[in-house]
Amino acid sequence: MTYFADLSPYGYRVVETRFNERLLNVGWLDASAPFSKGPVEHDVFERLFRRCEKPVNRCRGFHHCLYGSLESPPSPCSIPAPSTLGPWTLVVGNGEIRVPGQNGIVYAAPTLICHYVQRHGYCPPAEFLEVLRNYG
Ligand SMILES: [Zn+2]
Protein backbone atom coordinates (compact mmCIF):
# COMPACT_ATOMS: atom_id res chain seq x y z
CA MET A 1 0.00 0.00 0.00
CA THR A 2 1.10 3.56 -0.51
CA TYR A 3 2.89 4.96 2.51
CA PHE A 4 2.09 8.34 4.01
CA ALA A 5 3.41 9.61 7.32
CA ASP A 6 0.82 10.08 10.05
CA LEU A 7 -0.67 13.59 10.02
CA SER A 8 0.81 14.50 6.64
CA PRO A 9 -1.57 16.21 4.20
CA TYR A 10 -3.74 13.72 2.37
CA GLY A 11 -3.05 13.37 -1.31
CA TYR A 12 -3.82 9.79 -2.26
CA ARG A 13 -6.65 10.63 -4.57
CA VAL A 14 -7.86 13.84 -6.04
CA VAL A 15 -9.74 15.10 -3.18
CA GLU A 16 -13.20 15.79 -2.08
CA THR A 17 -12.31 18.57 0.35
CA ARG A 18 -14.85 21.13 1.21
CA PHE A 19 -14.01 24.74 1.85
CA ASN A 20 -11.70 25.17 4.84
CA GLU A 21 -11.28 21.46 5.34
CA ARG A 22 -7.88 19.90 5.80
CA LEU A 23 -7.47 16.18 5.19
CA LEU A 24 -4.66 14.52 7.15
CA ASN A 25 -3.33 10.99 6.74
CA VAL A 26 -3.51 8.42 9.51
CA GLY A 27 -2.57 4.76 9.32
CA TRP A 28 -1.04 4.55 5.85
CA LEU A 29 1.71 2.23 7.05
CA ASP A 30 4.41 0.57 5.05
CA ALA A 31 7.11 -1.90 5.90
CA SER A 32 9.74 0.66 4.88
CA ALA A 33 8.96 2.95 7.80
CA PRO A 34 8.58 2.19 11.52
CA PHE A 35 5.23 2.96 13.15
CA SER A 36 4.26 3.82 16.69
CA LYS A 37 2.98 0.98 18.84
CA GLY A 38 0.90 0.94 21.96
CA PRO A 39 -2.44 -0.04 23.41
CA VAL A 40 -5.67 1.45 22.05
CA GLU A 41 -8.66 1.48 24.41
CA HIS A 42 -11.37 -1.01 23.55
CA ASP A 43 -14.05 1.69 23.24
CA VAL A 44 -11.90 3.67 20.85
CA PHE A 45 -11.12 0.59 18.79
CA GLU A 46 -14.83 -0.20 18.62
CA ARG A 47 -15.53 3.27 17.22
CA LEU A 48 -12.78 2.82 14.67
CA PHE A 49 -14.17 -0.59 13.70
CA ARG A 50 -17.68 0.82 13.28
CA ARG A 51 -16.37 3.47 10.91
CA CYS A 52 -14.53 0.85 8.88
CA GLU A 53 -17.85 -0.92 8.36
CA LYS A 54 -18.87 2.02 6.16
CA PRO A 55 -15.86 2.89 4.04
CA VAL A 56 -15.55 5.57 1.39
CA ASN A 57 -13.41 5.48 -1.76
CA ARG A 58 -13.81 1.75 -2.13
CA CYS A 59 -11.59 0.05 -4.67
CA ARG A 60 -12.03 -3.27 -6.45
CA GLY A 61 -8.97 -5.03 -5.09
CA PHE A 62 -7.68 -5.41 -1.58
CA HIS A 63 -4.46 -3.95 -0.25
CA HIS A 64 -2.60 -6.71 1.55
CA CYS A 65 -0.98 -6.54 4.94
CA LEU A 66 2.67 -7.58 4.82
CA TYR A 67 3.54 -7.15 8.49
CA GLY A 68 2.75 -10.72 9.45
CA SER A 69 5.38 -11.96 7.00
CA LEU A 70 7.95 -9.70 8.65
CA GLU A 71 7.32 -11.08 12.12
CA SER A 72 9.70 -13.52 13.67
CA PRO A 73 8.73 -16.26 13.09
CA PRO A 74 6.75 -15.16 10.01
CA SER A 75 3.00 -15.42 10.42
CA PRO A 76 1.49 -14.11 7.17
CA CYS A 77 -1.80 -12.26 7.48
CA SER A 78 -4.84 -13.54 5.62
CA ILE A 79 -5.68 -11.98 2.28
CA PRO A 80 -7.75 -9.93 2.56
CA ALA A 81 -6.77 -8.98 6.08
CA PRO A 82 -9.43 -9.39 8.77
CA SER A 83 -10.37 -7.38 11.81
CA THR A 84 -12.74 -8.66 14.45
CA LEU A 85 -14.95 -7.17 17.12
CA GLY A 86 -16.82 -9.69 19.25
CA PRO A 87 -18.77 -11.87 16.80
CA TRP A 88 -18.16 -9.53 13.87
CA THR A 89 -15.40 -9.96 11.32
CA LEU A 90 -14.61 -7.30 8.81
CA VAL A 91 -12.36 -7.80 5.80
CA VAL A 92 -10.39 -4.62 5.32
CA GLY A 93 -8.04 -3.13 2.76
CA ASN A 94 -10.42 -1.96 0.05
CA GLY A 95 -11.53 1.42 1.28
CA GLU A 96 -10.92 4.41 3.47
CA ILE A 97 -12.61 6.17 6.34
CA ARG A 98 -13.03 9.84 7.18
CA VAL A 99 -13.03 11.03 10.77
CA PRO A 100 -13.95 14.70 11.27
CA GLY A 101 -11.79 16.36 13.92
CA GLN A 102 -11.44 19.85 15.32
CA ASN A 103 -10.82 23.10 13.45
CA GLY A 104 -11.72 21.82 10.02
CA ILE A 105 -9.39 18.85 10.16
CA VAL A 106 -10.62 15.56 8.75
CA TYR A 107 -8.55 12.42 9.15
CA ALA A 108 -8.27 10.04 6.21
CA ALA A 109 -7.33 6.46 7.01
CA PRO A 110 -7.34 3.16 5.13
CA THR A 111 -9.71 0.55 6.57
CA LEU A 112 -6.60 -1.56 7.17
CA ILE A 113 -6.07 0.65 10.21
CA CYS A 114 -8.38 -1.67 12.20
CA HIS A 115 -6.21 -4.64 11.36
CA TYR A 116 -2.99 -2.73 12.08
CA VAL A 117 -4.24 -1.71 15.51
CA GLN A 118 -5.60 -5.12 16.42
CA ARG A 119 -3.04 -7.47 15.02
CA HIS A 120 0.16 -5.43 14.90
CA GLY A 121 -0.21 -3.05 17.84
CA TYR A 122 -0.24 0.13 15.77
CA CYS A 123 -1.06 3.17 17.89
CA PRO A 124 -2.50 6.02 15.79
CA PRO A 125 -1.66 9.64 16.68
CA ALA A 126 -3.05 10.83 20.03
CA GLU A 127 -5.15 13.59 18.46
CA PHE A 128 -6.89 11.06 16.20
CA LEU A 129 -7.64 8.76 19.14
CA GLU A 130 -8.90 11.75 21.10
CA VAL A 131 -11.38 12.62 18.37
CA LEU A 132 -12.66 9.04 18.26
CA ARG A 133 -12.88 8.97 22.07
CA ASN A 134 -14.87 12.20 22.26
CA TYR A 135 -16.86 12.30 19.07
CA GLY A 136 -16.49 8.73 17.78
ZN1 LIG B 1 -1.38 -7.89 9.14
Side-chain angles (χ1 to χ4, degrees):
M1 196 170 69
T2 313
Y3 169 74
F4 297 108
D6 278 348
L7 306 181
S8 63
Y10 176 89
Y12 185 47
R13 297 191 186 198
V14 181
V15 180
E16 71 265 26
T17 47
R18 283 175 230 135
F19 189 58
N20 276 346
E21 199 177 75
R22 277 202 317 148
L23 275 175
L24 298 184
N25 293 305
V26 171
W28 297 88
L29 309 185
D30 184 81
S32 66
F35 59 86
S36 58
K37 292 190 174 194
V40 171
E41 298 155 53
H42 181 77
D43 285 0
V44 172
F45 176 75
E46 182 171 348
R47 291 170 180 194
L48 190 60
F49 185 93
R50 293 297 175 209
R51 286 181 179 270
C52 288
E53 287 179 322
K54 303 178 209 98
V56 298
N57 281 356
R58 295 185 80 148
C59 54
R60 285 169 186 267
F62 283 86
H63 291 284
H64 304 167
C65 175
L66 302 175
Y67 286 106
S69 302
L70 301 174
E71 290 171 352
S72 181
S75 173
C77 298
S78 303
I79 300 174
S83 184
T84 57
L85 178 67
W88 296 283
T89 297
L90 203 58
V91 290
V92 293
N94 69 333
E96 302 174 23
I97 58 169
R98 297 287 179 269
V99 179
Q102 302 277 50
N103 303 320
I105 290 174
V106 177
Y107 302 95
T111 56
L112 267 169
I113 192 171
C114 278
H115 172 83
Y116 291 150
V117 167
Q118 190 164 47
R119 165 87 198 268
H120 304 294
Y122 168 57
C123 184
E127 63 180 74
F128 175 76
L129 296 176
E130 190 66 25
V131 166
L132 283 172
R133 192 176 294 122
N134 293 328
Y135 306 101

